[in-house]
Amino acid sequence: MTEETPGFDEKPDVPSGATSEDAEPKAAPSSSEAGAAPAGDASQNAGLVAQLDQVRTALGERTADLQRLQAEYQNYRRRVERDRVAVKEVATANLLTELLPVLDDIGRAREHGELVGGFKGVGESLEAVATKLGLQQFGKEGEPFDPTIHEALMHSYAPDVTETTCVAILQPGYRIGERTIRPARVAVAEPQPGAQTVKPAEENTEPTADAAEDKESGGPDEG
């Protein structure tokens, strides 16, 4: 009996459980398939960059909207605060305006010495409350007449004034802050017509040195 030698046509041994496809060697990837992966990564990166730019643009727009809303809110708060203060000032001025006749009566009673007893305490308490609310009295004798805060009820001329001057306060004026709620009612005096408001320079009555010498010598030499 002769021994059989395996020839080239015989298939190699295949492990049990393996298919014929496993026994066949895999072909190397082609150059086109190898370059497909980097090209896909580049396109994916470009898409991510585009999305990032869109997000940044949207974020910038939302930030600008937020800043604009914040500025509008601050302006609104300032307007509300300004209106609130104005309404408070108007209400206070209206209340104190109604109390001015009472304050005038208290002032007249004080001038006549009638502000005594319990009436004195009530009057001083009312004046203190008005002052606390911001009421200020103005108008003094001798101050220059200002038509923006004074109301002239009487007019006269006086030789001892150099400008229109308040010579008597008939009714004091009142203000709240910079707001005048009643002008001071006054009597004014103007300079006397034709009177000199500026005194001329006093003449030097002392004799000069030359005049003294002439006096001692009997006068200047006659030519």
Side-chain angles (χ1 to χ4, degrees):
M1 184 175 67
T2 60
E3 293 181 0
E4 294 180 359
T5 56
F8 291 102
D9 294 335
E10 294 181 359
K11 295 181 179 180
D13 297 335
V14 178
S16 62
T19 61
S20 60
E21 295 179 355
D22 296 335
E24 296 178 356
K26 294 182 179 180
S30 62
S31 59
S32 60
E33 293 177 354
D41 294 341
S43 61
Q44 185 177 5
N45 292 336
L48 292 176
V49 171
Q51 292 179 0
L52 182 59
D53 291 339
Q54 292 178 357
V55 171
R56 288 176 177 174
T57 302
L59 179 61
E61 293 176 353
R62 299 299 179 271
T63 303
D65 293 341
L66 180 60
Q67 292 175 348
R68 183 171 59 255
L69 290 175
Q70 186 176 8
E72 292 177 355
Y73 177 68
Q74 293 297 334
N75 293 333
Y76 169 76
R77 287 187 57 185
R78 283 193 289 267
R79 286 196 305 271
V80 170
E81 182 66 19
R82 184 172 60 250
D83 294 343
R84 185 184 67 83
V85 173
V87 170
K88 181 180 178 181
E89 289 179 353
V90 170
T92 304
N94 292 336
L95 172 62
L96 293 176
T97 300
E98 297 297 328
L99 292 178
L100 291 186
V102 181
L103 297 176
D104 291 337
D105 292 339
I106 294 174
R108 282 191 291 267
R110 181 180 289 108
E111 292 176 357
H112 291 85
E114 300 175 356
L115 194 64
V116 294
F119 180 56
K120 178 180 180 181
V122 173
E124 291 178 349
S125 298
L126 182 59
E127 290 176 338
V129 171
T131 302
K132 186 177 180 180
L133 291 175
L135 186 66
Q136 299 176 357
Q137 186 182 102
F138 65 90
K140 295 181 180 179
E141 295 182 5
E143 64 184 5
F145 175 75
D146 185 354
T148 61
I149 60 175
H150 297 139
E151 181 181 354
L153 300 182
M154 299 177 63
H155 176 270
S156 62
Y157 295 97
D160 56 344
V161 297
T162 59
E163 60 180 343
T164 305
T165 306
C166 301
V167 294
I169 306 300
L170 306 179
Q171 259 187 348
Y174 290 96
R175 67 164 63 97
I176 299 177
E178 299 297 329
R179 180 177 181 177
T180 300
I181 61 176
R182 191 182 76 180
R185 293 165 180 171
V186 300
V188 299
E190 291 183 354
Q192 198 72 252
Q196 294 181 353
T197 58
V198 179
K199 294 182 179 181
E202 295 182 358
E203 297 180 356
N204 189 3
T205 57
E206 296 181 0
T208 61
D210 296 339
E213 292 178 357
D214 293 341
K215 186 176 181 181
E216 292 178 357
S217 60
D221 295 338
E222 296 180 359

